[in-house]
Amino acid sequence: MSRVPLSVIVPVKNEAANLPRCLASVAWADEVFVVDSQSTDGSQAIAEQHGAKVVQFHFNGTWPKKKNWALENLPFKHEWVFILDADEVIPDELQDEILALIANDQPVRGAVLWNQVAFGRPLTARKSTARFVRLFRTDTVLRFEAVVHEGAVLQPATLPVVALRHRLLHYSRESVYESILKLAQYVQLGAAKRAAAGKTGGVLREQ
């Protein structure tokens, strides 16, 4: 099976329950890095069983955080990189879009939306409304920064961002009550970010 010239970053800590599903959805990628924060639940062994390269990350409490450390330190084989959280899955339709963008090989970034999946079903009320840059060439992203979901700081800032039509699937292990609490927490963090930037009203969107 010919694999796609793409390097995938999967940041984890104790994600044994999610990793098999996540890694199976990127089996077509030529290189997968699982960036682990000293998991104790067997995550490393699961990653290795799926052919991923496991590297350990030790957070110093300030900077850089995991995704930025990965961008600065991992020896990527390929120019194109996709960042995938352990509780996310790339469905076939989104995979096709990613393959087309890589084959075109233009200096652009791919931004995605996601659907929340809980109890085996997509939750229409938990669809993301802001796009997040997850697919990019390593020469087009400087770093990631944000309070809630990391937004990409791009170079040059005018380089096109392609809005991918198909969504990531984000699997929730939460109860409905826990999901509501987390959503409220995200709203508070987003409001604090806007207040710090001197903004009021509107919808919080990542860069």
Side-chain angles (χ1 to χ4, degrees):
M1 175 181 174
S2 178
R3 297 192 176 226
V4 176
L6 173 71
S7 297
V8 178
I9 303 171
V10 184
V12 306
K13 182 173 183 179
N14 294 331
E15 290 286 358
N18 285 316
L19 265 178
R21 179 179 54 219
C22 170
L23 295 177
S25 80
V26 289
W28 44 271
D30 183 55
E31 180 175 59
V32 178
F33 285 101
V34 169
V35 185
D36 184 29
S37 296
Q38 301 83 58
S39 292
T40 58
D41 67 345
S43 289
Q44 178 171 337
I46 291 171
E48 291 170 346
Q49 289 166 8
H50 282 78
K53 302 175 182 179
V54 180
V55 293
Q56 291 297 328
F57 169 72
H58 298 268
F59 185 45
N60 63 12
T62 55
W63 186 265
K65 291 188 177 181
K66 192 177 296 184
K67 291 176 183 177
N68 290 296
W69 180 89
L71 289 178
E72 294 169 4
N73 291 279
L74 295 183
F76 298 118
K77 287 173 57 178
H78 305 293
E79 283 188 318
W80 285 94
V81 172
F82 194 98
I83 295 181
L84 183 68
D85 288 341
D87 56 3
E88 295 173 339
V89 163
I90 297 178
D92 291 343
E93 298 83 1
L94 179 56
Q95 175 187 335
D96 291 341
E97 284 193 86
I98 293 170
L99 300 187
L101 203 59
I102 292 173
N104 195 31
D105 199 28
Q106 296 298 311
V108 298
R109 281 68 62 106
V112 297
L113 297 160
W114 50 257
N115 280 358
Q116 185 88 353
V117 179
F119 315 114
R121 299 180 61 183
L123 301 180
T124 56
R126 289 293 303 273
K127 289 183 178 181
S128 65
T129 57
R131 294 187 184 272
F132 306 102
V133 172
R134 295 291 194 90
L135 176 68
F136 52 88
R137 287 191 354 187
T138 53
D139 60 351
T140 66
V141 170
L142 288 175
R143 65 186 182 277
F144 286 84
E145 59 181 24
V147 176
V148 181
H149 292 290
E150 290 90 342
V153 177
L154 310 173
Q155 66 169 9
T158 56
L159 205 60
V161 175
V162 175
L164 301 178
R165 293 186 303 109
H166 294 94
R167 293 171 176 250
L168 283 172
L169 298 181
H170 180 276
Y171 283 81
S172 174
R173 290 178 292 173
E174 306 158 350
S175 66
V176 173
Y177 175 71
E178 289 169 327
S179 294
I180 293 172
L181 287 180
K182 180 173 284 188
L183 182 60
Q185 180 186 29
Y186 282 175
V187 170
Q188 287 182 321
L189 289 171
K193 180 180 177 181
R194 291 185 62 82
K199 300 177 181 178
T200 58
V203 177
L204 174 65
R205 294 186 182 272
E206 298 290 352
Q207 294 175 311

